Amino acid sequence: MPKQAADSEKAAGQPLPDDLADLVNKKIREFELSCAEENEKTLKAQKGRARAVAKTKLKEAKQIVNNGALASEKVKTLWERLQAEHEQAEGFITKAHSRFSEISDIEQDRDVCQAELSRSVTVKNKLESLCKQLQQQANALVEERRHLTDTER
């Protein structure tokens, strides 16, 4: 049986019927596939927008170069725009680094939570097992007492 179905069985304390486990696994796969497709579409859209912005900026630069201003003014204007682009890129890089570290922290928290959940499920299963044993022993004692009571009469 797949790992996810086995995890579902452990968490519930009772095994899932095979058809239900297959249905759950199928739905999980469909969800993962739709998320992957959605991410791919989003990425393509972002690339398209970035490409359009780059073309626009290139046209603007060509217009600056081709206008009738002095060469020193053209260079100055292009240099200012280049510096602005550079500052914006550095800002994006800083933002990306902070987000990567944030993601790393969240992944570590997730791992800690998953380990804690695993320990909790293990303890729960052990307690359920002990409760069943206790109940069996209590039933055995009741049965033994009933048997002794019947033999005394």
Side-chain angles (χ1 to χ4, degrees):
M1 189 175 304
K3 183 182 186 305
Q4 292 171 339
D7 289 345
S8 298
E9 290 175 8
K10 288 179 190 174
Q14 298 175 351
L16 291 175
D18 286 340
D19 57 339
L20 185 58
D22 291 340
L23 180 63
V24 169
N25 287 330
K26 181 180 176 185
K27 289 295 180 184
I28 289 170
R29 284 190 300 275
E30 288 176 6
F31 178 72
E32 289 172 344
L33 182 62
S34 68
C35 284
E37 290 172 353
E38 186 177 315
N39 289 341
E40 186 177 325
K41 287 179 184 177
T42 303
L43 184 61
K44 283 183 180 180
Q46 288 174 344
K47 285 181 178 180
R49 287 191 296 272
R51 198 174 295 117
V53 168
K55 284 182 180 180
T56 303
K57 289 182 181 182
L58 181 62
K59 285 179 184 178
E60 290 173 357
K62 285 181 179 180
Q63 286 175 351
I64 291 171
V65 169
N66 293 330
N67 71 9
L70 296 173
S72 62
E73 293 213 11
K74 291 178 187 179
V75 170
K76 182 180 177 185
T77 304
L78 288 172
W79 179 251
E80 289 171 353
R81 288 191 179 212
L82 182 61
Q83 284 179 325
E85 287 290 321
H86 181 70
E87 289 173 8
Q88 186 180 23
E90 284 180 337
F92 288 145
I93 289 170
T94 303
K95 196 177 201 180
H97 285 300
S98 67
R99 288 202 175 155
F100 278 129
S101 65
E102 185 178 320
I103 288 170
S104 176
D105 293 343
I106 290 171
E107 286 176 343
Q108 288 175 350
D109 289 346
R110 181 203 60 204
D111 293 342
V112 167
C113 288
Q114 284 179 340
E116 185 178 333
L117 176 64
S118 177
R119 286 191 302 270
S120 297
V121 167
T122 302
V123 169
K124 177 186 148 266
N125 289 337
K126 182 69 174 175
L127 283 173
E128 286 176 349
S129 172
L130 291 172
C131 285
K132 286 179 184 178
Q133 286 179 354
L134 181 61
Q135 192 172 26
Q136 288 172 352
Q137 290 174 356
N139 288 341
L141 287 173
V142 167
E143 192 62 38
E144 186 178 337
R145 186 180 58 171
R146 185 178 302 140
H147 178 68
L148 289 174
T149 305
D150 288 345
T151 57
E152 288 178 358
R153 290 185 186 168

PDB file of all heavy atoms in Angstrom, residues 100-129:
ATOM      1  N   PHE A 100      14.351  33.270   0.777  1.00  0.00           N
ATOM      2  CA  PHE A 100      14.956  31.937   0.844  1.00  0.00           C
ATOM      3  C   PHE A 100      15.232  31.543   2.292  1.00  0.00           C
ATOM      4  O   PHE A 100      14.994  30.403   2.695  1.00  0.00           O
ATOM      5  CB  PHE A 100      16.243  31.861   0.026  1.00  0.00           C
ATOM      6  CG  PHE A 100      16.020  31.642  -1.438  1.00  0.00           C
ATOM      7  CD1 PHE A 100      16.625  32.477  -2.375  1.00  0.00           C
ATOM      8  CD2 PHE A 100      15.226  30.606  -1.901  1.00  0.00           C
ATOM      9  CE1 PHE A 100      16.432  32.275  -3.727  1.00  0.00           C
ATOM     10  CE2 PHE A 100      15.029  30.394  -3.246  1.00  0.00           C
ATOM     11  CZ  PHE A 100      15.626  31.244  -4.164  1.00  0.00           C
ATOM     12  N   SER A 101      15.749  32.484   3.079  1.00  0.00           N
ATOM     13  CA  SER A 101      16.006  32.159   4.486  1.00  0.00           C
ATOM     14  C   SER A 101      14.696  31.941   5.231  1.00  0.00           C
ATOM     15  O   SER A 101      14.596  31.058   6.094  1.00  0.00           O
ATOM     16  CB  SER A 101      16.834  33.253   5.161  1.00  0.00           C
ATOM     17  OG  SER A 101      16.117  34.459   5.231  1.00  0.00           O
ATOM     18  N   GLU A 102      13.671  32.691   4.885  1.00  0.00           N
ATOM     19  CA  GLU A 102      12.345  32.502   5.501  1.00  0.00           C
ATOM     20  C   GLU A 102      11.787  31.120   5.149  1.00  0.00           C
ATOM     21  O   GLU A 102      11.250  30.414   6.014  1.00  0.00           O
ATOM     22  CB  GLU A 102      11.406  33.597   4.996  1.00  0.00           C
ATOM     23  CG  GLU A 102      10.040  33.623   5.627  1.00  0.00           C
ATOM     24  CD  GLU A 102       9.192  34.768   5.090  1.00  0.00           C
ATOM     25  OE1 GLU A 102       9.733  35.871   4.887  1.00  0.00           O
ATOM     26  OE2 GLU A 102       7.992  34.536   4.879  1.00  0.00           O
ATOM     27  N   ILE A 103      11.936  30.731   3.901  1.00  0.00           N
ATOM     28  CA  ILE A 103      11.478  29.403   3.466  1.00  0.00           C
ATOM     29  C   ILE A 103      12.243  28.312   4.208  1.00  0.00           C
ATOM     30  O   ILE A 103      11.661  27.319   4.654  1.00  0.00           O
ATOM     31  CB  ILE A 103      11.626  29.258   1.934  1.00  0.00           C
ATOM     32  CG1 ILE A 103      10.583  30.100   1.224  1.00  0.00           C
ATOM     33  CG2 ILE A 103      11.516  27.800   1.513  1.00  0.00           C
ATOM     34  CD1 ILE A 103      10.793  30.217  -0.271  1.00  0.00           C
ATOM     35  N   SER A 104      13.531  28.504   4.358  1.00  0.00           N
ATOM     36  CA  SER A 104      14.357  27.532   5.073  1.00  0.00           C
ATOM     37  C   SER A 104      13.884  27.385   6.521  1.00  0.00           C
ATOM     38  O   SER A 104      13.756  26.264   7.032  1.00  0.00           O
ATOM     39  CB  SER A 104      15.816  27.955   5.032  1.00  0.00           C
ATOM     40  OG  SER A 104      16.605  27.080   5.787  1.00  0.00           O
ATOM     41  N   ASP A 105      13.618  28.517   7.168  1.00  0.00           N
ATOM     42  CA  ASP A 105      13.120  28.476   8.551  1.00  0.00           C
ATOM     43  C   ASP A 105      11.776  27.752   8.635  1.00  0.00           C
ATOM     44  O   ASP A 105      11.551  26.936   9.531  1.00  0.00           O
ATOM     45  CB  ASP A 105      12.975  29.892   9.118  1.00  0.00           C
ATOM     46  CG  ASP A 105      14.314  30.589   9.305  1.00  0.00           C
ATOM     47  OD1 ASP A 105      15.351  29.900   9.308  1.00  0.00           O
ATOM     48  OD2 ASP A 105      14.303  31.837   9.439  1.00  0.00           O
ATOM     49  N   ILE A 106      10.904  28.036   7.691  1.00  0.00           N
ATOM     50  CA  ILE A 106       9.581  27.403   7.685  1.00  0.00           C
ATOM     51  C   ILE A 106       9.714  25.907   7.433  1.00  0.00           C
ATOM     52  O   ILE A 106       8.999  25.102   8.062  1.00  0.00           O
ATOM     53  CB  ILE A 106       8.670  28.081   6.643  1.00  0.00           C
ATOM     54  CG1 ILE A 106       8.314  29.489   7.134  1.00  0.00           C
ATOM     55  CG2 ILE A 106       7.408  27.268   6.405  1.00  0.00           C
ATOM     56  CD1 ILE A 106       7.594  30.340   6.120  1.00  0.00           C
ATOM     57  N   GLU A 107      10.616  25.509   6.544  1.00  0.00           N
ATOM     58  CA  GLU A 107      10.821  24.079   6.291  1.00  0.00           C
ATOM     59  C   GLU A 107      11.356  23.378   7.532  1.00  0.00           C
ATOM     60  O   GLU A 107      10.956  22.245   7.829  1.00  0.00           O
ATOM     61  CB  GLU A 107      11.772  23.879   5.114  1.00  0.00           C
ATOM     62  CG  GLU A 107      11.138  24.170   3.774  1.00  0.00           C
ATOM     63  CD  GLU A 107      12.104  24.062   2.606  1.00  0.00           C
ATOM     64  OE1 GLU A 107      13.335  24.080   2.836  1.00  0.00           O
ATOM     65  OE2 GLU A 107      11.618  23.967   1.465  1.00  0.00           O
ATOM     66  N   GLN A 108      12.240  24.042   8.270  1.00  0.00           N
ATOM     67  CA  GLN A 108      12.744  23.459   9.516  1.00  0.00           C
ATOM     68  C   GLN A 108      11.601  23.316  10.525  1.00  0.00           C
ATOM     69  O   GLN A 108      11.492  22.280  11.195  1.00  0.00           O
ATOM     70  CB  GLN A 108      13.867  24.316  10.097  1.00  0.00           C
ATOM     71  CG  GLN A 108      15.154  24.225   9.328  1.00  0.00           C
ATOM     72  CD  GLN A 108      16.222  25.172   9.856  1.00  0.00           C
ATOM     73  OE1 GLN A 108      15.954  26.035  10.676  1.00  0.00           O
ATOM     74  NE2 GLN A 108      17.446  24.998   9.377  1.00  0.00           N
ATOM     75  N   ASP A 109      10.760  24.335  10.629  1.00  0.00           N
ATOM     76  CA  ASP A 109       9.601  24.256  11.532  1.00  0.00           C
ATOM     77  C   ASP A 109       8.677  23.113  11.124  1.00  0.00           C
ATOM     78  O   ASP A 109       8.155  22.381  11.974  1.00  0.00           O
ATOM     79  CB  ASP A 109       8.815  25.571  11.533  1.00  0.00           C
ATOM     80  CG  ASP A 109       9.549  26.696  12.233  1.00  0.00           C
ATOM     81  OD1 ASP A 109      10.537  26.415  12.946  1.00  0.00           O
ATOM     82  OD2 ASP A 109       9.124  27.871  12.066  1.00  0.00           O
ATOM     83  N   ARG A 110       8.481  22.958   9.815  1.00  0.00           N
ATOM     84  CA  ARG A 110       7.634  21.878   9.320  1.00  0.00           C
ATOM     85  C   ARG A 110       8.209  20.519   9.708  1.00  0.00           C
ATOM     86  O   ARG A 110       7.480  19.629  10.159  1.00  0.00           O
ATOM     87  CB  ARG A 110       7.502  21.971   7.795  1.00  0.00           C
ATOM     88  CG  ARG A 110       6.597  20.871   7.223  1.00  0.00           C
ATOM     89  CD  ARG A 110       6.861  20.595   5.780  1.00  0.00           C
ATOM     90  NE  ARG A 110       8.238  20.160   5.616  1.00  0.00           N
ATOM     91  CZ  ARG A 110       8.916  20.267   4.497  1.00  0.00           C
ATOM     92  NH1 ARG A 110       8.397  20.829   3.441  1.00  0.00           N
ATOM     93  NH2 ARG A 110      10.166  19.821   4.422  1.00  0.00           N
ATOM     94  N   ASP A 111       9.520  20.365   9.541  1.00  0.00           N
ATOM     95  CA  ASP A 111      10.163  19.100   9.893  1.00  0.00           C
ATOM     96  C   ASP A 111      10.007  18.802  11.381  1.00  0.00           C
ATOM     97  O   ASP A 111       9.740  17.660  11.771  1.00  0.00           O
ATOM     98  CB  ASP A 111      11.642  19.120   9.505  1.00  0.00           C
ATOM     99  CG  ASP A 111      11.847  19.151   7.992  1.00  0.00           C
ATOM    100  OD1 ASP A 111      10.890  18.817   7.258  1.00  0.00           O
ATOM    101  OD2 ASP A 111      12.962  19.510   7.559  1.00  0.00           O
ATOM    102  N   VAL A 112      10.163  19.840  12.207  1.00  0.00           N
ATOM    103  CA  VAL A 112       9.992  19.659  13.652  1.00  0.00           C
ATOM    104  C   VAL A 112       8.554  19.244  13.963  1.00  0.00           C
ATOM    105  O   VAL A 112       8.318  18.321  14.754  1.00  0.00           O
ATOM    106  CB  VAL A 112      10.370  20.959  14.410  1.00  0.00           C
ATOM    107  CG1 VAL A 112       9.913  20.903  15.857  1.00  0.00           C
ATOM    108  CG2 VAL A 112      11.866  21.193  14.333  1.00  0.00           C
ATOM    109  N   CYS A 113       7.598  19.898  13.319  1.00  0.00           N
ATOM    110  CA  CYS A 113       6.187  19.576  13.556  1.00  0.00           C
ATOM    111  C   CYS A 113       5.854  18.158  13.078  1.00  0.00           C
ATOM    112  O   CYS A 113       5.093  17.443  13.737  1.00  0.00           O
ATOM    113  CB  CYS A 113       5.282  20.589  12.860  1.00  0.00           C
ATOM    114  SG  CYS A 113       5.289  22.210  13.635  1.00  0.00           S
ATOM    115  N   GLN A 114       6.430  17.767  11.937  1.00  0.00           N
ATOM    116  CA  GLN A 114       6.183  16.414  11.448  1.00  0.00           C
ATOM    117  C   GLN A 114       6.762  15.374  12.393  1.00  0.00           C
ATOM    118  O   GLN A 114       6.136  14.334  12.640  1.00  0.00           O
ATOM    119  CB  GLN A 114       6.768  16.236  10.049  1.00  0.00           C
ATOM    120  CG  GLN A 114       5.945  16.894   8.976  1.00  0.00           C
ATOM    121  CD  GLN A 114       6.556  16.733   7.597  1.00  0.00           C
ATOM    122  OE1 GLN A 114       7.744  16.454   7.457  1.00  0.00           O
ATOM    123  NE2 GLN A 114       5.746  16.931   6.568  1.00  0.00           N
ATOM    124  N   ALA A 115       7.933  15.643  12.940  1.00  0.00           N
ATOM    125  CA  ALA A 115       8.532  14.712  13.898  1.00  0.00           C
ATOM    126  C   ALA A 115       7.672  14.633  15.159  1.00  0.00           C
ATOM    127  O   ALA A 115       7.444  13.543  15.693  1.00  0.00           O
ATOM    128  CB  ALA A 115       9.950  15.153  14.251  1.00  0.00           C
ATOM    129  N   GLU A 116       7.191  15.780  15.612  1.00  0.00           N
ATOM    130  CA  GLU A 116       6.334  15.800  16.802  1.00  0.00           C
ATOM    131  C   GLU A 116       5.031  15.055  16.542  1.00  0.00           C
ATOM    132  O   GLU A 116       4.559  14.297  17.392  1.00  0.00           O
ATOM    133  CB  GLU A 116       6.042  17.252  17.190  1.00  0.00           C
ATOM    134  CG  GLU A 116       5.252  17.394  18.474  1.00  0.00           C
ATOM    135  CD  GLU A 116       5.034  18.846  18.854  1.00  0.00           C
ATOM    136  OE1 GLU A 116       5.848  19.696  18.477  1.00  0.00           O
ATOM    137  OE2 GLU A 116       4.031  19.108  19.536  1.00  0.00           O
ATOM    138  N   LEU A 117       4.463  15.256  15.358  1.00  0.00           N
ATOM    139  CA  LEU A 117       3.240  14.546  14.994  1.00  0.00           C
ATOM    140  C   LEU A 117       3.483  13.049  14.956  1.00  0.00           C
ATOM    141  O   LEU A 117       2.669  12.255  15.456  1.00  0.00           O
ATOM    142  CB  LEU A 117       2.727  15.030  13.642  1.00  0.00           C
ATOM    143  CG  LEU A 117       1.504  14.311  13.090  1.00  0.00           C
ATOM    144  CD1 LEU A 117       0.296  14.538  14.000  1.00  0.00           C
ATOM    145  CD2 LEU A 117       1.202  14.778  11.686  1.00  0.00           C
ATOM    146  N   SER A 118       4.601  12.646  14.400  1.00  0.00           N
ATOM    147  CA  SER A 118       4.944  11.228  14.331  1.00  0.00           C
ATOM    148  C   SER A 118       5.062  10.626  15.728  1.00  0.00           C
ATOM    149  O   SER A 118       4.538   9.537  15.988  1.00  0.00           O
ATOM    150  CB  SER A 118       6.249  11.047  13.560  1.00  0.00           C
ATOM    151  OG  SER A 118       6.623   9.706  13.545  1.00  0.00           O
ATOM    152  N   ARG A 119       5.731  11.343  16.617  1.00  0.00           N
ATOM    153  CA  ARG A 119       5.849  10.860  18.004  1.00  0.00           C
ATOM    154  C   ARG A 119       4.476  10.778  18.659  1.00  0.00           C
ATOM    155  O   ARG A 119       4.171   9.811  19.364  1.00  0.00           O
ATOM    156  CB  ARG A 119       6.766  11.780  18.809  1.00  0.00           C
ATOM    157  CG  ARG A 119       8.235  11.634  18.495  1.00  0.00           C
ATOM    158  CD  ARG A 119       9.130  12.375  19.491  1.00  0.00           C
ATOM    159  NE  ARG A 119       8.843  13.795  19.567  1.00  0.00           N
ATOM    160  CZ  ARG A 119       9.414  14.732  18.824  1.00  0.00           C
ATOM    161  NH1 ARG A 119      10.328  14.383  17.933  1.00  0.00           N
ATOM    162  NH2 ARG A 119       9.105  16.002  18.964  1.00  0.00           N
ATOM    163  N   SER A 120       3.638  11.778  18.403  1.00  0.00           N
ATOM    164  CA  SER A 120       2.299  11.785  19.002  1.00  0.00           C
ATOM    165  C   SER A 120       1.459  10.615  18.504  1.00  0.00           C
ATOM    166  O   SER A 120       0.746   9.969  19.281  1.00  0.00           O
ATOM    167  CB  SER A 120       1.575  13.101  18.690  1.00  0.00           C
ATOM    168  OG  SER A 120       2.245  14.192  19.256  1.00  0.00           O
ATOM    169  N   VAL A 121       1.559  10.339  17.212  1.00  0.00           N
ATOM    170  CA  VAL A 121       0.811   9.216  16.639  1.00  0.00           C
ATOM    171  C   VAL A 121       1.319   7.903  17.224  1.00  0.00           C
ATOM    172  O   VAL A 121       0.525   7.002  17.547  1.00  0.00           O
ATOM    173  CB  VAL A 121       0.914   9.230  15.097  1.00  0.00           C
ATOM    174  CG1 VAL A 121       0.421   7.933  14.500  1.00  0.00           C
ATOM    175  CG2 VAL A 121       0.135  10.401  14.533  1.00  0.00           C
ATOM    176  N   THR A 122       2.624   7.792  17.395  1.00  0.00           N
ATOM    177  CA  THR A 122       3.198   6.580  17.990  1.00  0.00           C
ATOM    178  C   THR A 122       2.701   6.395  19.414  1.00  0.00           C
ATOM    179  O   THR A 122       2.298   5.294  19.807  1.00  0.00           O
ATOM    180  CB  THR A 122       4.738   6.663  17.976  1.00  0.00           C
ATOM    181  OG1 THR A 122       5.170   6.825  16.626  1.00  0.00           O
ATOM    182  CG2 THR A 122       5.356   5.415  18.559  1.00  0.00           C
ATOM    183  N   VAL A 123       2.699   7.472  20.192  1.00  0.00           N
ATOM    184  CA  VAL A 123       2.214   7.396  21.574  1.00  0.00           C
ATOM    185  C   VAL A 123       0.736   7.050  21.600  1.00  0.00           C
ATOM    186  O   VAL A 123       0.291   6.224  22.401  1.00  0.00           O
ATOM    187  CB  VAL A 123       2.490   8.733  22.312  1.00  0.00           C
ATOM    188  CG1 VAL A 123       1.760   8.787  23.636  1.00  0.00           C
ATOM    189  CG2 VAL A 123       3.979   8.917  22.528  1.00  0.00           C
ATOM    190  N   LYS A 124      -0.037   7.662  20.690  1.00  0.00           N
ATOM    191  CA  LYS A 124      -1.475   7.380  20.619  1.00  0.00           C
ATOM    192  C   LYS A 124      -1.722   5.905  20.313  1.00  0.00           C
ATOM    193  O   LYS A 124      -2.553   5.249  20.963  1.00  0.00           O
ATOM    194  CB  LYS A 124      -2.118   8.247  19.547  1.00  0.00           C
ATOM    195  CG  LYS A 124      -3.594   7.990  19.348  1.00  0.00           C
ATOM    196  CD  LYS A 124      -4.074   8.800  18.158  1.00  0.00           C
ATOM    197  CE  LYS A 124      -5.168   8.127  17.442  1.00  0.00           C
ATOM    198  NZ  LYS A 124      -4.853   7.314  16.333  1.00  0.00           N
ATOM    199  N   ASN A 125      -0.994   5.375  19.339  1.00  0.00           N
ATOM    200  CA  ASN A 125      -1.162   3.963  18.983  1.00  0.00           C
ATOM    201  C   ASN A 125      -0.782   3.058  20.154  1.00  0.00           C
ATOM    202  O   ASN A 125      -1.453   2.052  20.409  1.00  0.00           O
ATOM    203  CB  ASN A 125      -0.333   3.624  17.749  1.00  0.00           C
ATOM    204  CG  ASN A 125      -0.892   4.244  16.497  1.00  0.00           C
ATOM    205  OD1 ASN A 125      -2.076   4.567  16.428  1.00  0.00           O
ATOM    206  ND2 ASN A 125      -0.043   4.441  15.499  1.00  0.00           N
ATOM    207  N   LYS A 126       0.285   3.402  20.852  1.00  0.00           N
ATOM    208  CA  LYS A 126       0.708   2.614  22.016  1.00  0.00           C
ATOM    209  C   LYS A 126      -0.364   2.660  23.105  1.00  0.00           C
ATOM    210  O   LYS A 126      -0.690   1.623  23.700  1.00  0.00           O
ATOM    211  CB  LYS A 126       2.048   3.157  22.546  1.00  0.00           C
ATOM    212  CG  LYS A 126       2.592   2.400  23.715  1.00  0.00           C
ATOM    213  CD  LYS A 126       3.045   1.015  23.318  1.00  0.00           C
ATOM    214  CE  LYS A 126       3.725   0.339  24.483  1.00  0.00           C
ATOM    215  NZ  LYS A 126       4.067  -1.032  24.198  1.00  0.00           N
ATOM    216  N   LEU A 127      -0.916   3.863  23.351  1.00  0.00           N
ATOM    217  CA  LEU A 127      -1.979   3.988  24.365  1.00  0.00           C
ATOM    218  C   LEU A 127      -3.214   3.186  23.973  1.00  0.00           C
ATOM    219  O   LEU A 127      -3.827   2.537  24.824  1.00  0.00           O
ATOM    220  CB  LEU A 127      -2.354   5.459  24.565  1.00  0.00           C
ATOM    221  CG  LEU A 127      -1.391   6.292  25.390  1.00  0.00           C
ATOM    222  CD1 LEU A 127      -1.796   7.755  25.353  1.00  0.00           C
ATOM    223  CD2 LEU A 127      -1.353   5.792  26.821  1.00  0.00           C
ATOM    224  N   GLU A 128      -3.562   3.223  22.697  1.00  0.00           N
ATOM    225  CA  GLU A 128      -4.713   2.438  22.241  1.00  0.00           C
ATOM    226  C   GLU A 128      -4.463   0.950  22.458  1.00  0.00           C
ATOM    227  O   GLU A 128      -5.359   0.222  22.895  1.00  0.00           O
ATOM    228  CB  GLU A 128      -5.002   2.727  20.768  1.00  0.00           C
ATOM    229  CG  GLU A 128      -5.631   4.067  20.523  1.00  0.00           C
ATOM    230  CD  GLU A 128      -5.816   4.370  19.042  1.00  0.00           C
ATOM    231  OE1 GLU A 128      -5.275   3.626  18.183  1.00  0.00           O
ATOM    232  OE2 GLU A 128      -6.509   5.361  18.754  1.00  0.00           O
ATOM    233  N   SER A 129      -3.259   0.514  22.156  1.00  0.00           N
ATOM    234  CA  SER A 129      -2.908  -0.890  22.347  1.00  0.00           C
ATOM    235  C   SER A 129      -2.996  -1.269  23.827  1.00  0.00           C
ATOM    236  O   SER A 129      -3.552  -2.317  24.184  1.00  0.00           O
ATOM    237  CB  SER A 129      -1.502  -1.142  21.813  1.00  0.00           C
ATOM    238  OG  SER A 129      -1.069  -2.437  22.136  1.00  0.00           O
TER     239      SER A 129
END
